[in-house]
Amino acid sequence: MISGIVLAAGTSSRFGRTKQLIEIEGKSLVQHAVDAAAALDEVIVVVGHDAERVTHAVHGARIVTNPNYEAGQSTSLVAGLRSADPRCAAAIVLLADQPHITASHVRALADAFASSGSPIVRLRFRNGPGPALLARGVWPLVETMTGDIGARALIEQHPELIQDVAIDEDAPPDVDTPDDLRAVDP
């Protein structure tokens, strides 16, 4: 069983308003991530800032509220992993601000894990890293993380655990600022 964990609890401070609710191509940013993970066994969206409005923008996922979201992304990642089904062997971590991460990207991570069983599987785009899958065996390492860091910090600390999956395309951009939004949705 593989879970999808969508991190959508942040304050969007660089954007200036709740970016998870911004619509691109007819749906909210957060819903793009949910849809990319929809074929997984379960999809969990971790909310915090503006939780009620973000929750109403999500369809097809279970909502988990992180009351400690202001302490950083690590707390949302921990909340998502703790809420995963006990039968879950791994979780694919997605951000709610990458609208062009697709179901095929998510499937590539799940397929690589199924064939290798690697503790961490990460997409490697031509110009940088992308989302990652964390096997249950590395979740205790996540529990030790604090502050505004996520799976990327864990990966940097434990390169020996990583299997990269090469994707022959540029990494889909994050939407962190209004300028980023214009670049993603001209």
Side-chain angles (χ1 to χ4, degrees):
M1 176 174 198
I2 297 178
S3 300
I5 309 290
V6 178
L7 303 180
T11 62
S12 308
S13 59
R14 288 178 283 172
F15 197 85
R17 58 187 168 123
T18 308
K19 67 182 175 183
Q20 300 91 320
L21 302 173
I22 301 298
E23 286 203 5
I24 294 178
E25 300 168 4
K27 58 186 169 183
S28 66
L29 277 177
V30 67
Q31 189 63 45
H32 280 273
V34 170
D35 291 350
L40 297 174
D41 297 300
E42 70 174 341
V43 180
I44 299 162
V45 176
V46 182
V47 300
H49 173 77
D50 212 356
E52 186 174 326
R53 290 180 60 218
V54 175
T55 296
H56 288 298
V58 172
H59 307 286
R62 183 163 48 94
I63 303 295
V64 170
T65 301
N66 175 12
N68 299 318
Y69 69 92
E70 290 183 36
Q73 189 180 88
S74 63
T75 64
S76 292
L77 181 54
V78 168
L81 294 174
R82 284 181 180 169
S83 68
D85 188 291
R87 299 169 293 162
C88 180
I92 295 175
V93 181
L94 300 169
L95 303 177
D97 65 358
Q98 290 184 306
H100 294 120
I101 293 294
T102 66
S104 64
H105 296 132
V106 171
R107 189 171 39 258
L109 287 168
D111 290 348
F113 176 70
S115 66
S116 73
S118 292
I120 300 173
V121 181
R122 173 183 59 182
L123 293 184
R124 172 58 75 178
F125 292 97
R126 285 187 300 240
N127 60 340
L133 174 147
L134 305 176
R136 185 175 282 278
V138 299
W139 294 5
L141 297 173
V142 174
E143 293 274 348
T144 68
M145 296 171 24
T146 59
D148 199 24
I149 59 173
R152 185 171 291 171
L154 175 68
I155 290 166
E156 289 171 1
Q157 293 169 4
H158 297 281
E160 74 281 3
L161 301 177
I162 301 164
Q163 174 192 352
D164 281 325
V165 176
I167 304 292
D168 190 23
E169 59 189 74
D170 287 341
D174 293 359
V175 176
D176 290 323
T177 67
D179 287 340
D180 294 340
L181 178 61
R182 287 187 281 283
V184 169
D185 190 32

